[in-house]
Amino acid sequence: MTLADKLKNICLSLGKNNKPTYAVIAIASVKGICRPAFTMMDKTEKPETKKYTALREGLTELIAIPVYWASGEFAGYFSKYLTKGITEGDFLPNKVKEDIKNGITNESIKKSIKNAAERVNETKLKVTNNLRLAGVCTAALFVIPAVCSIAIKPIVNKIIKQPKKSIKEDIATKTKFTVQPKIVNFGSNIYKYNQNRTTRPHIGLRVGGL
Amino acid sequence: MIGPLTKALTNPTLTSISQNTNASVATETVLKSIGRPGFILIDKDIDSDTKKYAAAKEFLYQATCLLVYAALVVPVFKRGAFKLAKNKIFKNSPEFQKFRSLKNYESYRKYSAKSLDTRKILLQQHKLQDKFTPEIEQELLTAEKPNNYDLVKGTIELGSITGSVLGLAVLAPQLSHAVIHPALRFIGLEKKKEHKQNNQQKSINTKA
């Protein structure tokens, strides 16, 4: 089988039945590789941010692929219940129905029955595909965002562990200060004692008075 | 007996959307642009500024995807796939030679979906005799159920899927990167870098 034959088979199969899940799964699969890759290639962001964003994007698409497939198939599964009542009689003209009742059988009636059977199958396929589309749309609107908002944060936090702050660093940040001498207005009394004249920090143990 | 729900599910518009890659992907992108920002906004674990920023960013990304899709897939990939198949890959296939262009095939599909009587009236009213080749015109005027031309349809759908993948997975992230940050700054959800450095105390979590 040549490449052209393979391509022809793919095209024929897509022409006969183009499931709505094909395109969305193909997009999600390539997006799952390309979007994180582009994020990692960004030179303007910090490596930590890049890693976090890329992982989030990759996981979103990784979740989307099975969810799209499952939603489409799950919705399509209900087709058999909805199309249970569809029979060939629904697509036969009234005249042909009467002829069949009267026991008349000829080429024209056989052709009509065959056409009706084809239309039953077509209708069933239409219902299945339309339900699949509904499933895919529900996945895009509710299921994937909901699953992502629940699952992604814990997974990302497990994979990228936040560095624990050391005690020394913690104290250093807590006791960060800037030395600013207070300027006090004494008014006219030049002998008044300035209690705020020190430039030392007002923390910790002090030896010798102030 | 066909029930009302089944009747609604066999609606021709819905069927054409579900069988058309373009329509189904565009619908899905529109729904994503509503669903994803919506779920970010109702998340209680994120602070209000971060939520607004993340939701706006996601919405702008999906909007960029939709624009790229509309601008690229239909004019380039659908037409390109048809032309490539007609002139190179399937040039010996009689199916492709019956249609002059993609537009011609789409017009045929539109008419073939209607009943024979409606088709006859429409073809006479619109004077479309010159639009289609004599063979196709005859098929539309006589056949109860005209041929689907699966190979032509499948080629167009394959072109659409390829275009969707390249447009949405490769081009849109690149373009959105260039568009989203200026747009966020324009809305006022992202501060300029120098300004941002000065105000590090109350910064938005851009990782969200």
Side-chain angles (χ1 to χ4, degrees):
Chain A
M1 194 184 252
T2 60
L3 194 67
D5 289 333
K6 275 182 189 170
L7 195 67
K8 195 175 181 176
N9 285 345
I10 293 169
C11 290
L12 278 171
S13 140
L14 274 177
K16 272 178 198 150
N17 183 20
N18 180 21
K19 283 187 191 176
T21 42
Y22 290 157
V24 287
I25 288 176
I27 294 165
S29 310
V30 182
K31 233 183 203 179
I33 302 162
C34 292
R35 232 181 133 184
F38 290 137
T39 305
M40 289 308 285
M41 279 192 271
D42 186 1
K43 284 172 188 168
T44 57
E45 284 293 336
K46 288 175 194 166
E48 274 298 306
T49 313
K50 278 200 290 190
K51 224 192 277 177
Y52 183 89
T53 314
L55 194 62
R56 248 188 63 153
E57 286 167 348
L59 279 171
T60 305
E61 302 305 331
L62 199 70
I63 289 168
I65 297 166
V67 172
Y68 274 136
W69 180 81
S71 303
E73 291 304 309
F74 181 69
Y77 178 77
F78 290 99
S79 162
K80 64 180 176 190
Y81 299 109
L82 288 167
T83 56
K84 215 162 45 180
I86 300 174
T87 56
E88 287 156 12
D90 295 323
F91 300 102
L92 285 173
N94 288 334
K95 199 180 166 287
V96 178
K97 277 183 197 170
E98 276 174 26
D99 287 347
I100 294 168
K101 263 185 189 174
N102 296 331
I104 303 166
T105 45
N106 56 28
E107 274 304 306
S108 161
I109 289 172
K110 277 179 187 170
K111 204 181 167 188
S112 296
I113 292 170
K114 200 186 161 193
N115 277 344
E118 271 176 20
R119 285 192 70 185
V120 169
N121 288 336
E122 268 175 26
T123 311
K124 282 181 179 174
L125 190 66
K126 270 182 195 175
V127 173
T128 312
N129 278 334
N130 291 351
L131 282 171
R132 277 183 187 138
L133 177 71
V136 165
C137 289
T138 313
L141 188 61
F142 298 114
V143 187
I144 296 167
V147 173
C148 288
S149 71
I150 296 164
I152 282 185
K153 225 172 186 179
I155 298 171
V156 171
N157 287 342
K158 263 190 181 177
I159 297 169
I160 303 174
K161 280 175 187 162
Q162 299 288 331
K164 280 181 186 173
K165 279 180 187 174
S166 63
I167 299 164
K168 271 184 186 176
E169 269 179 11
D170 211 32
I171 291 168
T173 47
K174 273 182 188 168
T175 56
K176 212 173 183 181
F177 57 86
T178 49
V179 181
Q180 283 177 341
K182 275 190 180 176
I183 298 160
V184 179
N185 183 14
F186 292 110
S188 55
N189 186 359
I190 50 160
Y191 301 108
K192 207 168 185 178
Y193 186 64
N194 179 13
Q195 287 188 328
N196 297 311
R197 67 174 185 237
T198 180
T199 54
R200 277 193 294 161
H202 291 258
I203 48 159
L205 181 68
R206 292 171 219 164
V207 181
L210 295 168
Chain B
M1 180 75 188
I2 301 173
L5 187 61
T6 315
K7 215 170 198 177
L9 282 169
T10 49
N11 182 304
T13 316
L14 189 63
T15 309
S16 70
I17 290 174
S18 74
Q19 282 295 294
N20 189 327
T21 306
N22 273 10
S24 56
V25 172
T27 311
E28 186 235 343
T29 311
V30 169
L31 292 173
K32 259 186 191 173
S33 71
I34 303 163
R36 289 189 179 184
F39 270 87
I40 292 169
L41 287 172
I42 57 169
D43 192 343
K44 284 172 187 169
D45 297 336
I46 318 168
D47 70 278
S48 145
D49 285 342
T50 308
K51 268 199 288 195
K52 268 188 216 165
Y53 176 87
K57 199 177 167 187
E58 192 59 46
F59 176 76
L60 284 169
Y61 176 74
Q62 297 300 340
T64 317
C65 284
L66 202 64
L67 283 175
V68 169
Y69 195 70
L72 187 86
V73 178
V74 182
V76 181
F77 283 91
K78 261 178 106 175
R79 264 181 218 147
F82 184 86
K83 274 187 186 171
L84 191 72
K86 186 178 159 74
N87 302 325
K88 295 259 167 76
I89 304 167
F90 302 123
K91 63 179 175 188
N92 298 321
S93 162
E95 287 186 319
F96 274 96
Q97 306 316 318
K98 286 177 185 170
F99 301 100
R100 292 187 188 113
S101 61
L102 173 72
K103 213 177 168 185
N104 194 226
Y105 174 73
E106 282 178 340
S107 180
Y108 166 78
R109 292 273 303 176
K110 209 172 88 182
Y111 285 106
S112 67
K114 297 183 192 308
S115 70
L116 182 60
D117 295 332
T118 319
R119 241 183 286 148
K120 276 180 187 171
I121 297 164
L122 284 171
L123 283 169
Q124 276 164 0
Q125 266 181 358
H126 295 174
K127 291 177 183 168
L128 293 166
Q129 281 81 356
D130 299 333
K131 195 174 180 179
F132 298 111
T133 56
E135 208 175 337
I136 291 294
E137 191 199 326
Q138 196 60 27
E139 196 168 343
L140 285 173
L141 288 170
T142 55
E144 189 74 47
K145 194 177 158 264
N147 193 340
N148 265 337
Y149 293 104
D150 291 334
L151 183 64
V152 184
K153 190 179 183 294
T155 306
I156 294 164
E157 294 307 332
L158 189 66
S160 290
I161 292 174
T162 313
S164 308
V165 168
L166 289 174
L168 296 182
V170 181
L171 199 70
Q174 300 279 38
L175 195 71
S176 71
H177 189 75
V179 171
I180 284 176
H181 292 288
L184 285 171
R185 274 197 285 272
F186 183 75
I187 304 166
L189 287 171
E190 193 175 271
K191 286 162 190 169
K192 279 184 181 172
K193 274 188 179 171
E194 303 86 25
H195 192 63
K196 210 172 160 187
Q197 278 168 356
N198 292 336
N199 294 324
Q200 273 182 344
Q201 279 181 333
K202 201 193 173 185
S203 64
I204 294 166
N205 181 9
T206 50
K207 280 181 180 180

